[in-house]
């Protein structure tokens, strides 16, 4: 049985393994990180633990949030390091063990597709399985130069 915690970014519905998600928290105050790229929104203090906040929109090459609705922090643990993913809206937990897993559809933007492990076709929408490790493995030296 596989469970994915889902969230929306732009027009996409993404899911990451529930086991990776530590918690979901409302928007926090950011401390800017000098010379960081657009993917790094800043640092947040989550009950005394300092986390890097990654703007998933920027990481995927999507336009910035309109700001109409506050973004949400999805705190994931990858290699035992907590990182905050800024997303547009949190979804729910979807059990996908009964849904056929497919390769990344060709209709998905190539930059987004490179960060996926595949997709699940839900009755109302396509659920894209996000590789959290790949999402966080961006070239920081490139980002700093941008």
């Amino acid at each position: 049985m596989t469970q994915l915690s889902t969230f929306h970014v732009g027009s996409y519905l993404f899911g990451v393994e529930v086991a990776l998600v530590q918690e979901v928290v409302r928007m926090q105050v950011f401390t800017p990180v000098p010379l960081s790229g657009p993917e790094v929104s800043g640092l947040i203090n989550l009950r005394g633990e300092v986390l890097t906040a990654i703007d998933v929109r920027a990481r995927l090459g999507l336009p910035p949030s309109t700001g109409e609705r506050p973004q949400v922090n999805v705190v994931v643990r990858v290699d035992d390091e907590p990182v905050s993913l800024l997303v547009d809206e949190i979804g729910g937990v979807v059990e996908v063990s009964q849904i056929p897993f497919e390769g990344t559809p060709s209709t998905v933007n190539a930059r987004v597709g490179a960060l996926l492990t595949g997709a699940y076709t839900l009755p109302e929408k396509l659920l894209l399985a996000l590789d959290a490790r790949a999402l966080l493995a961006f070239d920081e030296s490139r980002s700093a130069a941008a």
Side-chain angles (χ1 to χ4, degrees):
M1 173 172 50
T2 301
Q3 292 182 321
L4 299 179
S5 179
T6 64
F7 53 85
H8 298 267
V9 178
S11 61
Y12 297 108
L13 174 64
F14 292 103
V16 295
E17 291 181 41
V18 166
L20 295 177
V21 177
Q22 176 179 312
E23 63 187 295
V24 176
V25 293
R26 293 180 190 206
M27 191 67 164
Q28 302 286 310
V29 175
F30 295 110
T31 300
V33 178
L35 303 177
S36 65
E39 296 95 345
V40 178
S41 292
L43 302 175
I44 63 171
N45 183 336
L46 185 63
R47 295 183 298 279
E49 189 171 24
V50 177
L51 311 179
T52 302
I54 303 297
D55 184 340
V56 176
R57 278 181 166 271
R59 178 68 177 103
L60 298 176
L62 300 176
S65 173
T66 60
E68 293 175 7
R69 297 173 57 176
Q71 291 182 297
V72 179
N73 294 279
V74 177
V75 179
V76 297
R77 281 198 171 268
V78 175
D79 297 329
D80 206 32
E81 289 292 326
V83 177
S84 170
L85 303 179
L86 288 177
V87 304
D88 294 345
E89 182 180 359
I90 192 69
V93 174
V94 176
E95 189 172 310
V96 293
S97 59
Q98 303 300 318
I99 305 171
F101 186 68
E102 306 167 10
T104 301
S106 61
T107 55
V108 173
N109 173 314
R111 189 168 176 178
V112 174
L115 303 174
L116 303 177
T117 59
Y120 297 93
T121 304
L122 302 179
E124 68 282 356
K125 196 159 192 169
L126 192 64
L127 172 58
L128 302 174
L130 186 63
D131 181 345
R133 188 168 277 109
L135 179 72
L136 300 175
F138 57 93
D139 183 355
E140 293 179 12
S141 61
R142 180 189 56 82
S143 296

